[in-house]
Amino acid sequence: MADFVHHVTPEDEGMEVREIMREYFTFSSRLRNKIKRNKLTTLNGKTTEGWHKVHAGDVVAVVLPEERSDFEAEDIPLFPVYEDEDLLLINKQPGLVVHPTKGNPSGTCANALMHRMNETGEHFKVRFVNRLDRDTSGILIVAKNSFSQNEITKQMRDNQVTKRYVAIVEGIIPENEGTVDAPIGRPDPDDVRRGVMADGHPSITHYKVIQRFPDSGFTFIELVLETGRTHQIRVHMSHIGHPLLSDHLYGTERPEIIGRQALHSSSLTFIHPVRRIPVHVEAPLPEDMKNALASFR
């Protein structure tokens, strides 16, 4: 669990501990209240109250509260691509639901994480920072504490996280690159499908051709998202006449080629929420998409 430490400078002289926390640790008010209730702040190694004043040379430290999830543990494979005490990034396989729902109460990534924690002896509350559709593969961010979750969520909101995907789409895209800038909404609240709507949420997708397969009628592309709307890539590519291969919602299923929409979250670049250094993570292309591409060559 991450520790937060501040060495008091002469400029901080006379500040209260709680002022130090607000100034140097970007905790939410909710997290600050948890830290206070659990007495997790120390001054020079001893538990302290927020009203204590600090002096140059003092050390203020905070340990984040321990939290746990109570999902049922299930032995489902997980494929980590990055891990430290604050974050776990996994390469999610297609067909795996991220979080338990009424329709999918078990067999999810959350259940798999509980099993992994039981195996490793590490325990934390499962917090998914991003979500992927069940049949979309690739990088899924799990925050091990609320601070990390909040910080990366802020980066996503401020468009500071670079999210790259690769996809196979129907048809031959003639231009080498392009941008779809079209608002996305939900035409029917009883239908899961989204669509381009004049009063939808602003949505921007950039795409670049990696390889064309004229004989098969497909194009392999890379995509970068500026926004993160539900089904954004699937809606936008369908909107411009190039739906994802085997997309049952926005295109045509092609189970003889691949059994799900051919979409993979291939890389993420962000600033580490605690260490404040750039992190770049990649997830290799899954076998079903490799096989689909091989069949076109």
Side-chain angles (χ1 to χ4, degrees):
M1 190 70 65
D3 290 353
F4 293 80
V5 178
H6 176 69
H7 295 269
V8 178
T9 67
E11 289 76 17
D12 303 327
E13 184 76 34
M15 292 177 66
E16 294 182 350
V17 168
R18 57 193 168 198
E19 292 175 321
I20 292 290
M21 288 179 60
R22 284 195 292 268
E23 179 72 19
Y24 295 103
F25 306 143
T26 56
F27 300 144
S28 66
S29 57
R30 183 177 180 181
L31 181 54
R32 283 200 303 269
N33 288 335
K34 284 185 180 179
I35 291 169
K36 179 181 178 180
R37 284 198 306 271
N38 290 279
K39 300 185 182 301
L40 297 174
T41 306
T42 62
L43 178 61
N44 300 325
K46 296 181 180 180
T47 301
T48 186
E49 298 291 343
W51 48 264
H52 281 149
K53 292 186 182 295
V54 300
H55 303 283
D58 286 348
V59 178
V60 176
V62 176
V63 178
L64 296 184
E66 291 189 9
E67 300 174 289
R68 297 191 178 202
S69 292
D70 59 357
F71 302 112
E72 180 183 354
E74 297 183 58
D75 189 1
I76 300 169
L78 289 176
F79 304 96
V81 290
Y82 177 92
E83 184 173 19
D84 60 26
E85 60 185 1
D86 302 295
L87 299 170
L88 170 63
L89 277 68
I90 64 172
N91 182 10
K92 185 186 84 67
Q93 59 267 45
L96 184 63
V97 174
V98 170
H99 198 280
T101 62
K102 186 179 293 186
N104 294 279
S106 61
T108 72
C109 189
N111 302 109
L113 285 166
M114 292 303 296
H115 176 78
R116 185 176 189 272
M117 285 189 273
N118 289 341
E119 292 286 305
T120 62
E122 181 184 30
H123 291 279
F124 53 86
K125 184 174 181 179
V126 175
R127 292 179 166 92
F128 295 107
V129 181
N130 63 328
R131 297 293 178 97
L132 297 176
D133 296 339
R134 178 187 64 190
D135 290 330
T136 298
S137 57
I139 301 174
L140 188 64
I141 307 175
V142 183
K144 295 184 178 181
N145 52 68
S146 61
F147 178 81
S148 296
Q149 180 188 35
N150 292 338
E151 287 295 303
I152 298 184
T153 299
K154 288 178 188 175
Q155 291 182 42
M156 288 184 170
R157 185 176 63 240
D158 296 338
N159 198 27
Q160 296 174 339
V161 176
T162 302
K163 297 175 282 187
R164 295 184 185 275
Y165 291 74
V166 290
I168 305 170
V169 299
E170 295 183 12
I172 304 301
I173 299 178
E175 64 274 10
N176 289 332
E177 56 187 50
T179 296
V180 184
D181 185 350
I184 292 176
R186 192 170 185 173
D188 183 350
D190 295 323
D191 191 332
V192 70
R193 285 176 293 187
R194 271 62 174 176
V196 171
M197 302 171 61
D199 60 348
H201 298 289
S203 308
I204 300 175
T205 304
H206 305 284
Y207 63 88
K208 181 170 64 175
V209 170
I210 299 174
Q211 189 172 3
R212 298 179 180 90
F213 300 94
D215 293 340
S216 303
F218 297 103
T219 305
F220 185 40
I221 61 174
E222 179 185 74
L223 305 110
V224 177
L225 301 185
E226 280 195 29
T227 52
R229 311 302 177 196
T230 300
H231 296 177
Q232 178 174 319
I233 289 174
R234 300 167 69 184
V235 171
H236 273 173
M237 296 314 296
S238 178
H239 178 66
I240 65 171
H242 295 284
L244 269 59
L245 167 62
S246 207
D247 189 337
H248 72 286
L249 282 181
Y250 304 101
T252 303
E253 289 186 83
R254 298 290 301 272
E256 75 279 9
I257 301 177
I258 189 170
R260 50 102 179 191
Q261 71 260 10
L263 180 63
H264 177 68
S265 173
S266 57
S267 76
L268 278 175
T269 304
F270 57 94
I271 301 298
H272 194 284
V274 178
R275 299 177 185 176
R276 309 309 300 173
I277 59 173
V279 176
H280 176 75
V281 179
E282 297 185 359
L285 198 64
E287 289 301 315
D288 60 352
M289 287 185 66
K290 285 183 182 178
N291 293 336
L293 292 170
S295 71
F296 304 150
R297 297 188 172 106

PDB file of all heavy atoms in Angstrom, residues 226-256:
ATOM      1  N   GLU A 226      -9.920  10.198 -28.059  1.00  0.00           N
ATOM      2  CA  GLU A 226      -9.863  11.430 -27.266  1.00  0.00           C
ATOM      3  C   GLU A 226     -10.928  11.412 -26.184  1.00  0.00           C
ATOM      4  O   GLU A 226     -10.808  12.107 -25.175  1.00  0.00           O
ATOM      5  CB  GLU A 226     -10.061  12.655 -28.164  1.00  0.00           C
ATOM      6  CG  GLU A 226      -8.822  13.067 -28.916  1.00  0.00           C
ATOM      7  CD  GLU A 226      -8.938  14.466 -29.493  1.00  0.00           C
ATOM      8  OE1 GLU A 226      -9.670  15.295 -28.896  1.00  0.00           O
ATOM      9  OE2 GLU A 226      -8.304  14.715 -30.533  1.00  0.00           O
ATOM     10  N   THR A 227     -11.986  10.659 -26.416  1.00  0.00           N
ATOM     11  CA  THR A 227     -13.065  10.517 -25.436  1.00  0.00           C
ATOM     12  C   THR A 227     -13.293   9.033 -25.205  1.00  0.00           C
ATOM     13  O   THR A 227     -12.782   8.201 -25.951  1.00  0.00           O
ATOM     14  CB  THR A 227     -14.358  11.181 -25.957  1.00  0.00           C
ATOM     15  OG1 THR A 227     -14.638  10.681 -27.270  1.00  0.00           O
ATOM     16  CG2 THR A 227     -14.217  12.687 -26.010  1.00  0.00           C
ATOM     17  N   GLY A 228     -14.057   8.702 -24.181  1.00  0.00           N
ATOM     18  CA  GLY A 228     -14.237   7.301 -23.839  1.00  0.00           C
ATOM     19  C   GLY A 228     -15.696   6.916 -23.687  1.00  0.00           C
ATOM     20  O   GLY A 228     -16.101   6.415 -22.640  1.00  0.00           O
ATOM     21  N   ARG A 229     -16.482   7.133 -24.727  1.00  0.00           N
ATOM     22  CA  ARG A 229     -17.905   6.790 -24.670  1.00  0.00           C
ATOM     23  C   ARG A 229     -18.115   5.280 -24.812  1.00  0.00           C
ATOM     24  O   ARG A 229     -17.307   4.583 -25.433  1.00  0.00           O
ATOM     25  CB  ARG A 229     -18.688   7.508 -25.780  1.00  0.00           C
ATOM     26  CG  ARG A 229     -18.419   8.991 -25.887  1.00  0.00           C
ATOM     27  CD  ARG A 229     -18.725   9.737 -24.606  1.00  0.00           C
ATOM     28  NE  ARG A 229     -18.375  11.153 -24.742  1.00  0.00           N
ATOM     29  CZ  ARG A 229     -18.243  11.985 -23.727  1.00  0.00           C
ATOM     30  NH1 ARG A 229     -18.431  11.542 -22.487  1.00  0.00           N
ATOM     31  NH2 ARG A 229     -17.925  13.248 -23.937  1.00  0.00           N
ATOM     32  N   THR A 230     -19.196   4.798 -24.255  1.00  0.00           N
ATOM     33  CA  THR A 230     -19.555   3.390 -24.405  1.00  0.00           C
ATOM     34  C   THR A 230     -19.689   3.045 -25.885  1.00  0.00           C
ATOM     35  O   THR A 230     -20.387   3.738 -26.631  1.00  0.00           O
ATOM     36  CB  THR A 230     -20.881   3.096 -23.680  1.00  0.00           C
ATOM     37  OG1 THR A 230     -20.732   3.391 -22.297  1.00  0.00           O
ATOM     38  CG2 THR A 230     -21.281   1.641 -23.845  1.00  0.00           C
ATOM     39  N   HIS A 231     -19.003   1.966 -26.309  1.00  0.00           N
ATOM     40  CA  HIS A 231     -19.057   1.467 -27.687  1.00  0.00           C
ATOM     41  C   HIS A 231     -18.536   2.496 -28.702  1.00  0.00           C
ATOM     42  O   HIS A 231     -18.858   2.413 -29.896  1.00  0.00           O
ATOM     43  CB  HIS A 231     -20.487   1.068 -28.086  1.00  0.00           C
ATOM     44  CG  HIS A 231     -21.045  -0.058 -27.299  1.00  0.00           C
ATOM     45  ND1 HIS A 231     -22.346  -0.524 -27.479  1.00  0.00           N
ATOM     46  CD2 HIS A 231     -20.510  -0.833 -26.321  1.00  0.00           C
ATOM     47  CE1 HIS A 231     -22.576  -1.530 -26.644  1.00  0.00           C
ATOM     48  NE2 HIS A 231     -21.477  -1.727 -25.932  1.00  0.00           N
ATOM     49  N   GLN A 232     -17.710   3.440 -28.264  1.00  0.00           N
ATOM     50  CA  GLN A 232     -17.330   4.550 -29.146  1.00  0.00           C
ATOM     51  C   GLN A 232     -16.725   4.086 -30.467  1.00  0.00           C
ATOM     52  O   GLN A 232     -17.147   4.528 -31.552  1.00  0.00           O
ATOM     53  CB  GLN A 232     -16.354   5.493 -28.436  1.00  0.00           C
ATOM     54  CG  GLN A 232     -15.886   6.654 -29.322  1.00  0.00           C
ATOM     55  CD  GLN A 232     -15.048   7.667 -28.577  1.00  0.00           C
ATOM     56  OE1 GLN A 232     -15.358   8.008 -27.447  1.00  0.00           O
ATOM     57  NE2 GLN A 232     -13.988   8.152 -29.201  1.00  0.00           N
ATOM     58  N   ILE A 233     -15.712   3.225 -30.412  1.00  0.00           N
ATOM     59  CA  ILE A 233     -15.060   2.780 -31.635  1.00  0.00           C
ATOM     60  C   ILE A 233     -16.053   2.034 -32.521  1.00  0.00           C
ATOM     61  O   ILE A 233     -16.116   2.246 -33.747  1.00  0.00           O
ATOM     62  CB  ILE A 233     -13.845   1.891 -31.306  1.00  0.00           C
ATOM     63  CG1 ILE A 233     -12.723   2.744 -30.702  1.00  0.00           C
ATOM     64  CG2 ILE A 233     -13.355   1.153 -32.554  1.00  0.00           C
ATOM     65  CD1 ILE A 233     -11.539   1.935 -30.206  1.00  0.00           C
ATOM     66  N   ARG A 234     -16.855   1.178 -31.928  1.00  0.00           N
ATOM     67  CA  ARG A 234     -17.801   0.370 -32.691  1.00  0.00           C
ATOM     68  C   ARG A 234     -18.825   1.254 -33.393  1.00  0.00           C
ATOM     69  O   ARG A 234     -19.163   1.043 -34.565  1.00  0.00           O
ATOM     70  CB  ARG A 234     -18.478  -0.630 -31.754  1.00  0.00           C
ATOM     71  CG  ARG A 234     -17.491  -1.573 -31.087  1.00  0.00           C
ATOM     72  CD  ARG A 234     -18.102  -2.358 -29.941  1.00  0.00           C
ATOM     73  NE  ARG A 234     -19.080  -3.334 -30.417  1.00  0.00           N
ATOM     74  CZ  ARG A 234     -19.804  -4.095 -29.597  1.00  0.00           C
ATOM     75  NH1 ARG A 234     -19.677  -3.965 -28.279  1.00  0.00           N
ATOM     76  NH2 ARG A 234     -20.650  -4.965 -30.090  1.00  0.00           N
ATOM     77  N   VAL A 235     -19.323   2.277 -32.676  1.00  0.00           N
ATOM     78  CA  VAL A 235     -20.307   3.190 -33.254  1.00  0.00           C
ATOM     79  C   VAL A 235     -19.679   4.040 -34.355  1.00  0.00           C
ATOM     80  O   VAL A 235     -20.241   4.179 -35.449  1.00  0.00           O
ATOM     81  CB  VAL A 235     -20.916   4.087 -32.156  1.00  0.00           C
ATOM     82  CG1 VAL A 235     -21.773   5.188 -32.775  1.00  0.00           C
ATOM     83  CG2 VAL A 235     -21.758   3.269 -31.189  1.00  0.00           C
ATOM     84  N   HIS A 236     -18.513   4.606 -34.072  1.00  0.00           N
ATOM     85  CA  HIS A 236     -17.895   5.511 -35.041  1.00  0.00           C
ATOM     86  C   HIS A 236     -17.493   4.795 -36.332  1.00  0.00           C
ATOM     87  O   HIS A 236     -17.693   5.328 -37.443  1.00  0.00           O
ATOM     88  CB  HIS A 236     -16.687   6.201 -34.420  1.00  0.00           C
ATOM     89  CG  HIS A 236     -17.032   7.453 -33.693  1.00  0.00           C
ATOM     90  ND1 HIS A 236     -16.114   8.175 -32.941  1.00  0.00           N
ATOM     91  CD2 HIS A 236     -18.198   8.144 -33.594  1.00  0.00           C
ATOM     92  CE1 HIS A 236     -16.707   9.244 -32.422  1.00  0.00           C
ATOM     93  NE2 HIS A 236     -17.964   9.243 -32.809  1.00  0.00           N
ATOM     94  N   MET A 237     -16.912   3.614 -36.225  1.00  0.00           N
ATOM     95  CA  MET A 237     -16.498   2.921 -37.441  1.00  0.00           C
ATOM     96  C   MET A 237     -17.703   2.449 -38.243  1.00  0.00           C
ATOM     97  O   MET A 237     -17.689   2.495 -39.482  1.00  0.00           O
ATOM     98  CB  MET A 237     -15.576   1.750 -37.091  1.00  0.00           C
ATOM     99  CG  MET A 237     -14.250   2.174 -36.454  1.00  0.00           C
ATOM    100  SD  MET A 237     -13.399   3.549 -37.291  1.00  0.00           S
ATOM    101  CE  MET A 237     -13.049   2.813 -38.886  1.00  0.00           C
ATOM    102  N   SER A 238     -18.751   2.040 -37.583  1.00  0.00           N
ATOM    103  CA  SER A 238     -19.987   1.692 -38.287  1.00  0.00           C
ATOM    104  C   SER A 238     -20.580   2.923 -38.967  1.00  0.00           C
ATOM    105  O   SER A 238     -21.085   2.853 -40.096  1.00  0.00           O
ATOM    106  CB  SER A 238     -20.990   1.079 -37.309  1.00  0.00           C
ATOM    107  OG  SER A 238     -22.209   0.771 -37.962  1.00  0.00           O
ATOM    108  N   HIS A 239     -20.492   4.062 -38.284  1.00  0.00           N
ATOM    109  CA  HIS A 239     -21.047   5.316 -38.802  1.00  0.00           C
ATOM    110  C   HIS A 239     -20.397   5.719 -40.125  1.00  0.00           C
ATOM    111  O   HIS A 239     -21.071   6.290 -41.012  1.00  0.00           O
ATOM    112  CB  HIS A 239     -20.856   6.415 -37.758  1.00  0.00           C
ATOM    113  CG  HIS A 239     -21.332   7.770 -38.177  1.00  0.00           C
ATOM    114  ND1 HIS A 239     -22.657   8.069 -38.403  1.00  0.00           N
ATOM    115  CD2 HIS A 239     -20.636   8.920 -38.429  1.00  0.00           C
ATOM    116  CE1 HIS A 239     -22.770   9.334 -38.764  1.00  0.00           C
ATOM    117  NE2 HIS A 239     -21.568   9.873 -38.798  1.00  0.00           N
ATOM    118  N   ILE A 240     -19.100   5.443 -40.289  1.00  0.00           N
ATOM    119  CA  ILE A 240     -18.418   5.827 -41.532  1.00  0.00           C
ATOM    120  C   ILE A 240     -18.397   4.687 -42.548  1.00  0.00           C
ATOM    121  O   ILE A 240     -17.696   4.755 -43.561  1.00  0.00           O
ATOM    122  CB  ILE A 240     -16.986   6.338 -41.269  1.00  0.00           C
ATOM    123  CG1 ILE A 240     -16.086   5.233 -40.702  1.00  0.00           C
ATOM    124  CG2 ILE A 240     -17.012   7.559 -40.344  1.00  0.00           C
ATOM    125  CD1 ILE A 240     -14.609   5.637 -40.627  1.00  0.00           C
ATOM    126  N   GLY A 241     -19.179   3.643 -42.276  1.00  0.00           N
ATOM    127  CA  GLY A 241     -19.317   2.564 -43.244  1.00  0.00           C
ATOM    128  C   GLY A 241     -18.301   1.459 -43.147  1.00  0.00           C
ATOM    129  O   GLY A 241     -18.192   0.631 -44.067  1.00  0.00           O
ATOM    130  N   HIS A 242     -17.566   1.385 -42.033  1.00  0.00           N
ATOM    131  CA  HIS A 242     -16.562   0.340 -41.847  1.00  0.00           C
ATOM    132  C   HIS A 242     -16.723  -0.289 -40.453  1.00  0.00           C
ATOM    133  O   HIS A 242     -15.866  -0.112 -39.573  1.00  0.00           O
ATOM    134  CB  HIS A 242     -15.155   0.916 -42.006  1.00  0.00           C
ATOM    135  CG  HIS A 242     -14.870   1.421 -43.384  1.00  0.00           C
ATOM    136  ND1 HIS A 242     -14.602   0.593 -44.452  1.00  0.00           N
ATOM    137  CD2 HIS A 242     -14.838   2.695 -43.888  1.00  0.00           C
ATOM    138  CE1 HIS A 242     -14.395   1.315 -45.540  1.00  0.00           C
ATOM    139  NE2 HIS A 242     -14.539   2.597 -45.223  1.00  0.00           N
ATOM    140  N   PRO A 243     -17.819  -1.020 -40.236  1.00  0.00           N
ATOM    141  CA  PRO A 243     -18.024  -1.636 -38.914  1.00  0.00           C
ATOM    142  C   PRO A 243     -16.939  -2.658 -38.612  1.00  0.00           C
ATOM    143  O   PRO A 243     -16.298  -3.208 -39.525  1.00  0.00           O
ATOM    144  CB  PRO A 243     -19.389  -2.307 -39.056  1.00  0.00           C
ATOM    145  CG  PRO A 243     -19.572  -2.522 -40.520  1.00  0.00           C
ATOM    146  CD  PRO A 243     -18.889  -1.366 -41.183  1.00  0.00           C
ATOM    147  N   LEU A 244     -16.737  -2.898 -37.340  1.00  0.00           N
ATOM    148  CA  LEU A 244     -15.748  -3.886 -36.932  1.00  0.00           C
ATOM    149  C   LEU A 244     -16.143  -5.268 -37.429  1.00  0.00           C
ATOM    150  O   LEU A 244     -17.321  -5.624 -37.467  1.00  0.00           O
ATOM    151  CB  LEU A 244     -15.621  -3.908 -35.400  1.00  0.00           C
ATOM    152  CG  LEU A 244     -14.581  -2.980 -34.779  1.00  0.00           C
ATOM    153  CD1 LEU A 244     -14.839  -1.527 -35.131  1.00  0.00           C
ATOM    154  CD2 LEU A 244     -14.557  -3.144 -33.262  1.00  0.00           C
ATOM    155  N   LEU A 245     -15.125  -6.023 -37.787  1.00  0.00           N
ATOM    156  CA  LEU A 245     -15.342  -7.396 -38.209  1.00  0.00           C
ATOM    157  C   LEU A 245     -16.056  -8.183 -37.114  1.00  0.00           C
ATOM    158  O   LEU A 245     -15.648  -8.154 -35.951  1.00  0.00           O
ATOM    159  CB  LEU A 245     -13.996  -8.054 -38.528  1.00  0.00           C
ATOM    160  CG  LEU A 245     -13.971  -9.577 -38.690  1.00  0.00           C
ATOM    161  CD1 LEU A 245     -14.843 -10.015 -39.862  1.00  0.00           C
ATOM    162  CD2 LEU A 245     -12.535 -10.058 -38.871  1.00  0.00           C
ATOM    163  N   SER A 246     -17.150  -8.850 -37.479  1.00  0.00           N
ATOM    164  CA  SER A 246     -17.912  -9.739 -36.600  1.00  0.00           C
ATOM    165  C   SER A 246     -18.534  -9.027 -35.403  1.00  0.00           C
ATOM    166  O   SER A 246     -18.710  -9.614 -34.346  1.00  0.00           O
ATOM    167  CB  SER A 246     -17.037 -10.906 -36.119  1.00  0.00           C
ATOM    168  OG  SER A 246     -17.837 -12.037 -35.831  1.00  0.00           O
ATOM    169  N   ASP A 247     -18.899  -7.752 -35.590  1.00  0.00           N
ATOM    170  CA  ASP A 247     -19.576  -6.995 -34.538  1.00  0.00           C
ATOM    171  C   ASP A 247     -21.078  -7.260 -34.624  1.00  0.00           C
ATOM    172  O   ASP A 247     -21.750  -6.793 -35.541  1.00  0.00           O
ATOM    173  CB  ASP A 247     -19.292  -5.505 -34.692  1.00  0.00           C
ATOM    174  CG  ASP A 247     -19.777  -4.681 -33.500  1.00  0.00           C
ATOM    175  OD1 ASP A 247     -20.677  -5.143 -32.777  1.00  0.00           O
ATOM    176  OD2 ASP A 247     -19.256  -3.564 -33.313  1.00  0.00           O
ATOM    177  N   HIS A 248     -21.606  -7.994 -33.657  1.00  0.00           N
ATOM    178  CA  HIS A 248     -23.013  -8.419 -33.727  1.00  0.00           C
ATOM    179  C   HIS A 248     -23.986  -7.269 -33.506  1.00  0.00           C
ATOM    180  O   HIS A 248     -25.152  -7.363 -33.895  1.00  0.00           O
ATOM    181  CB  HIS A 248     -23.283  -9.527 -32.720  1.00  0.00           C
ATOM    182  CG  HIS A 248     -23.295  -9.071 -31.286  1.00  0.00           C
ATOM    183  ND1 HIS A 248     -22.144  -8.743 -30.607  1.00  0.00           N
ATOM    184  CD2 HIS A 248     -24.322  -8.874 -30.421  1.00  0.00           C
ATOM    185  CE1 HIS A 248     -22.457  -8.371 -29.376  1.00  0.00           C
ATOM    186  NE2 HIS A 248     -23.765  -8.433 -29.239  1.00  0.00           N
ATOM    187  N   LEU A 249     -23.529  -6.157 -32.892  1.00  0.00           N
ATOM    188  CA  LEU A 249     -24.420  -5.029 -32.646  1.00  0.00           C
ATOM    189  C   LEU A 249     -24.420  -4.021 -33.786  1.00  0.00           C
ATOM    190  O   LEU A 249     -25.458  -3.453 -34.138  1.00  0.00           O
ATOM    191  CB  LEU A 249     -24.020  -4.312 -31.346  1.00  0.00           C
ATOM    192  CG  LEU A 249     -24.427  -4.946 -30.028  1.00  0.00           C
ATOM    193  CD1 LEU A 249     -23.950  -4.076 -28.868  1.00  0.00           C
ATOM    194  CD2 LEU A 249     -25.930  -5.161 -29.943  1.00  0.00           C
ATOM    195  N   TYR A 250     -23.259  -3.768 -34.364  1.00  0.00           N
ATOM    196  CA  TYR A 250     -23.134  -2.673 -35.326  1.00  0.00           C
ATOM    197  C   TYR A 250     -22.670  -3.122 -36.711  1.00  0.00           C
ATOM    198  O   TYR A 250     -22.454  -2.285 -37.581  1.00  0.00           O
ATOM    199  CB  TYR A 250     -22.164  -1.617 -34.787  1.00  0.00           C
ATOM    200  CG  TYR A 250     -22.571  -1.083 -33.431  1.00  0.00           C
ATOM    201  CD1 TYR A 250     -21.953  -1.527 -32.264  1.00  0.00           C
ATOM    202  CD2 TYR A 250     -23.582  -0.132 -33.310  1.00  0.00           C
ATOM    203  CE1 TYR A 250     -22.330  -1.038 -31.015  1.00  0.00           C
ATOM    204  CE2 TYR A 250     -23.966   0.361 -32.068  1.00  0.00           C
ATOM    205  CZ  TYR A 250     -23.332  -0.092 -30.931  1.00  0.00           C
ATOM    206  OH  TYR A 250     -23.716   0.385 -29.701  1.00  0.00           O
ATOM    207  N   GLY A 251     -22.521  -4.411 -36.904  1.00  0.00           N
ATOM    208  CA  GLY A 251     -22.079  -4.924 -38.198  1.00  0.00           C
ATOM    209  C   GLY A 251     -22.703  -6.272 -38.470  1.00  0.00           C
ATOM    210  O   GLY A 251     -23.895  -6.494 -38.213  1.00  0.00           O
ATOM    211  N   THR A 252     -21.893  -7.190 -38.979  1.00  0.00           N
ATOM    212  CA  THR A 252     -22.366  -8.537 -39.332  1.00  0.00           C
ATOM    213  C   THR A 252     -21.468  -9.562 -38.671  1.00  0.00           C
ATOM    214  O   THR A 252     -20.236  -9.467 -38.771  1.00  0.00           O
ATOM    215  CB  THR A 252     -22.327  -8.747 -40.853  1.00  0.00           C
ATOM    216  OG1 THR A 252     -23.113  -7.733 -41.487  1.00  0.00           O
ATOM    217  CG2 THR A 252     -22.870 -10.116 -41.224  1.00  0.00           C
ATOM    218  N   GLU A 253     -22.049 -10.519 -37.987  1.00  0.00           N
ATOM    219  CA  GLU A 253     -21.256 -11.575 -37.359  1.00  0.00           C
ATOM    220  C   GLU A 253     -20.607 -12.445 -38.426  1.00  0.00           C
ATOM    221  O   GLU A 253     -21.247 -12.843 -39.397  1.00  0.00           O
ATOM    222  CB  GLU A 253     -22.132 -12.422 -36.439  1.00  0.00           C
ATOM    223  CG  GLU A 253     -22.574 -11.700 -35.174  1.00  0.00           C
ATOM    224  CD  GLU A 253     -23.314 -12.618 -34.214  1.00  0.00           C
ATOM    225  OE1 GLU A 253     -22.643 -13.332 -33.451  1.00  0.00           O
ATOM    226  OE2 GLU A 253     -24.553 -12.618 -34.231  1.00  0.00           O
ATOM    227  N   ARG A 254     -19.326 -12.730 -38.223  1.00  0.00           N
ATOM    228  CA  ARG A 254     -18.571 -13.604 -39.133  1.00  0.00           C
ATOM    229  C   ARG A 254     -17.834 -14.652 -38.310  1.00  0.00           C
ATOM    230  O   ARG A 254     -16.603 -14.634 -38.198  1.00  0.00           O
ATOM    231  CB  ARG A 254     -17.591 -12.776 -39.971  1.00  0.00           C
ATOM    232  CG  ARG A 254     -18.237 -11.736 -40.882  1.00  0.00           C
ATOM    233  CD  ARG A 254     -18.997 -12.369 -42.033  1.00  0.00           C
ATOM    234  NE  ARG A 254     -18.130 -13.206 -42.848  1.00  0.00           N
ATOM    235  CZ  ARG A 254     -17.412 -12.731 -43.883  1.00  0.00           C
ATOM    236  NH1 ARG A 254     -17.479 -11.444 -44.206  1.00  0.00           N
ATOM    237  NH2 ARG A 254     -16.657 -13.555 -44.585  1.00  0.00           N
ATOM    238  N   PRO A 255     -18.582 -15.578 -37.691  1.00  0.00           N
ATOM    239  CA  PRO A 255     -17.944 -16.547 -36.786  1.00  0.00           C
ATOM    240  C   PRO A 255     -16.937 -17.454 -37.468  1.00  0.00           C
ATOM    241  O   PRO A 255     -16.069 -18.029 -36.801  1.00  0.00           O
ATOM    242  CB  PRO A 255     -19.138 -17.348 -36.254  1.00  0.00           C
ATOM    243  CG  PRO A 255     -20.216 -17.161 -37.284  1.00  0.00           C
ATOM    244  CD  PRO A 255     -20.019 -15.788 -37.816  1.00  0.00           C
ATOM    245  N   GLU A 256     -17.029 -17.582 -38.795  1.00  0.00           N
ATOM    246  CA  GLU A 256     -16.053 -18.422 -39.495  1.00  0.00           C
ATOM    247  C   GLU A 256     -14.674 -17.759 -39.513  1.00  0.00           C
ATOM    248  O   GLU A 256     -13.658 -18.435 -39.762  1.00  0.00           O
ATOM    249  CB  GLU A 256     -16.528 -18.713 -40.924  1.00  0.00           C
ATOM    250  CG  GLU A 256     -16.407 -17.565 -41.913  1.00  0.00           C
ATOM    251  CD  GLU A 256     -17.538 -16.545 -41.830  1.00  0.00           C
ATOM    252  OE1 GLU A 256     -18.348 -16.619 -40.880  1.00  0.00           O
ATOM    253  OE2 GLU A 256     -17.593 -15.676 -42.718  1.00  0.00           O
TER     254      GLU A 256
END
